[in-house]
Amino acid sequence: MARTRLYRNGVLEAEGFPIADVSDHIEDPSATVWFDLCRPTAEDLAAISEELGLHALAVEDAINEHQRPKLDRYDSHLFVTAYAVHLDTGTGVLGTSEVAAFVTRNALVTVRKDEDFDIDQVIARWDASADLAKHGVGFLLHGLLDYVVDGHFDAVQSLDEQIETLEDELFSDQTKDRDMQRRTFELRKSLVMFRRTVLPMREVVNSLLRRDLHIVDDAMYPYYQDVYDHVLRATEWTESLRDLVSTIRETHLTMQGNRLNVVMKQVTSWAAIIAVPTAVTGFYGQNVPYPGFGKSVGFWESTVAIIVLSAGLFALFRKKGWI
């Protein structure tokens, strides 16, 4: 069944009808049409581009993947690209799902690049705010952007929790350096990818708020303003988290250096203590006469010298905190 919907005078009149019937509905100024395409081919979009007057460049961007989040304005329609995100809390890896949308006077066409973009959640938002359907395409586009931006906000909150976990483990004696480095690297990489996704959304939503586009009417303006506020908060949160991850990484490296210095002091201290008996026994092992040479008292003199000097060095290093 095709993912299609028809609203007439703000009331959901039909859904699941063939996309071929869309051309019959968009001629009615009181109708608002939505239909969804997943992984469409160039032929699929060519079939509707002439009907809706879609620009060739916008059609090309809708087919090609890895577009930058943006809002392009053409004579007969707007073209929007955005990304839904999801974070793997186990590994800290961020996944993205690209969606494009053609916005005409009374039609919204969503083009999903893969199945990971949950269009059912968008439909659920439309159904939860059915009283706003009378505002036409502005209502449909708001539901789409609201789902995308809320996903950004959930992702940045999850990233914040992951980074807080890293902070707690940073000063733990049981932390494995390799695991800490791997997780820090994955979170930093996810934040870089997330920043490329969420930062351009400020421009997208802010441009939609312009009155000359005639997409957002006075009634829908506060709803778009709320989406814009969420975009700003997610962006600012992302910037602060990126700085925090860098601080955690630098702190971890500093702590590694400090631990290495402590180990080096301990090893050096024990080496100095061990050098004392080596020096004493080496001296007493000379083939020349020395105090106590050839007598048992010489053995006890060397033993006492070893014990006294080693104990003195141990006490000195202990007092300095090297051992």
Side-chain angles (χ1 to χ4, degrees):
M1 184 176 63
R3 308 304 297 270
T4 55
R5 280 196 166 195
L6 170 64
Y7 292 88
R8 198 181 303 275
N9 295 319
V11 178
L12 178 60
E13 188 172 287
E15 58 183 326
F17 53 86
I19 294 179
D21 297 344
V22 169
S23 58
D24 298 331
H25 298 306
I26 59 176
E27 295 177 357
D28 184 357
S30 65
T32 302
V33 179
W34 164 75
F35 62 94
D36 175 69
L37 300 172
C38 185
R39 293 186 180 275
T41 63
E43 291 75 15
D44 295 332
L45 287 177
I48 64 170
S49 62
E50 184 176 354
E51 187 71 32
L52 298 178
L54 304 181
H55 197 279
L57 290 177
V59 173
E60 181 181 351
D61 289 343
I63 296 174
N64 297 329
E65 296 184 358
H66 309 300
Q67 298 293 320
R68 182 179 183 272
K70 61 180 180 177
L71 171 65
D72 292 334
R73 183 177 182 181
Y74 299 97
D75 292 337
S76 61
H77 65 92
L78 302 178
F79 178 75
V80 179
T81 303
Y83 286 85
V85 298
H86 49 275
L87 179 70
D88 187 334
T89 55
T91 62
V93 177
L94 188 75
T96 61
S97 301
E98 186 177 354
V99 62
F102 297 98
V103 185
T104 68
R105 180 181 59 83
N106 62 342
L108 175 69
V109 182
T110 54
V111 181
R112 293 178 290 148
K113 305 299 179 69
D114 53 58
E115 296 283 354
D116 293 335
F117 189 91
D118 194 354
I119 198 67
D120 291 328
Q121 291 293 328
V122 179
I123 295 175
R125 289 172 184 261
W126 290 338
D127 292 339
S129 305
D131 57 312
L132 299 176
K134 59 186 176 181
H135 300 290
V137 174
F139 157 72
L140 296 177
L141 183 59
H142 169 265
L144 176 66
L145 294 178
D146 190 47
Y147 166 72
V148 170
V149 172
D150 282 354
H152 293 172
F153 207 79
D154 292 340
V156 74
Q157 187 172 7
S158 297
L159 285 168
D160 190 12
E161 293 172 356
Q162 294 287 312
I163 293 173
E164 284 184 358
T165 302
L166 277 182
E167 288 178 319
D168 295 337
E169 295 179 358
L170 185 61
F171 299 97
S172 175
D173 295 334
Q174 299 178 352
T175 300
K176 296 181 179 180
D177 291 338
R178 183 178 295 274
D179 183 62
M180 173 69 74
Q181 290 173 356
R182 181 189 61 81
R183 293 178 61 190
T184 303
F185 175 76
E186 291 293 346
L187 284 172
R188 183 175 177 83
K189 185 169 66 172
S190 295
L191 278 169
V192 171
M193 181 185 299
F194 184 72
R195 185 176 182 273
R196 288 201 302 262
T197 299
V198 70
L199 193 62
M201 288 300 295
R202 293 188 305 180
E203 182 181 350
V204 171
V205 180
N206 188 43
S207 297
L208 287 171
L209 290 172
R210 291 170 49 186
R211 300 290 186 179
D212 59 327
L213 293 181
H214 306 294
I215 294 297
V216 181
D217 57 21
D218 292 339
M220 291 299 300
Y221 191 87
Y223 294 93
Y224 277 84
Q225 189 66 45
D226 180 67
V227 173
Y228 183 64
D229 177 65
H230 286 180
V231 171
L232 290 181
R233 291 172 60 190
T235 303
E236 294 169 356
W237 204 345
T238 302
E239 296 292 349
S240 63
L241 289 182
R242 190 175 64 159
D243 294 339
L244 187 56
V245 168
S246 298
T247 302
I248 291 176
R249 180 175 177 274
E250 293 171 0
T251 303
H252 183 235
L253 293 176
T254 302
M255 292 178 63
Q256 280 186 312
N258 291 338
R259 284 197 295 267
L260 180 61
N261 290 336
V262 171
V263 171
M264 289 300 297
K265 285 193 297 184
Q266 292 175 340
V267 171
T268 304
S269 300
W270 283 111
I273 293 174
I274 295 173
V276 170
T278 303
V280 173
T281 54
F283 178 82
Y284 274 85
Q286 297 178 93
N287 293 323
V288 295
Y290 54 86
F293 178 77
K295 301 177 182 179
S296 60
V297 67
F299 168 76
W300 293 112
E301 288 177 352
S302 64
T303 301
V304 169
I306 290 172
I307 294 174
V308 171
L309 292 175
S310 298
L313 286 176
F314 181 83
L316 176 63
F317 295 150
R318 187 79 170 183
K319 182 178 180 180
K320 291 180 174 295
W322 294 2
I323 298 181

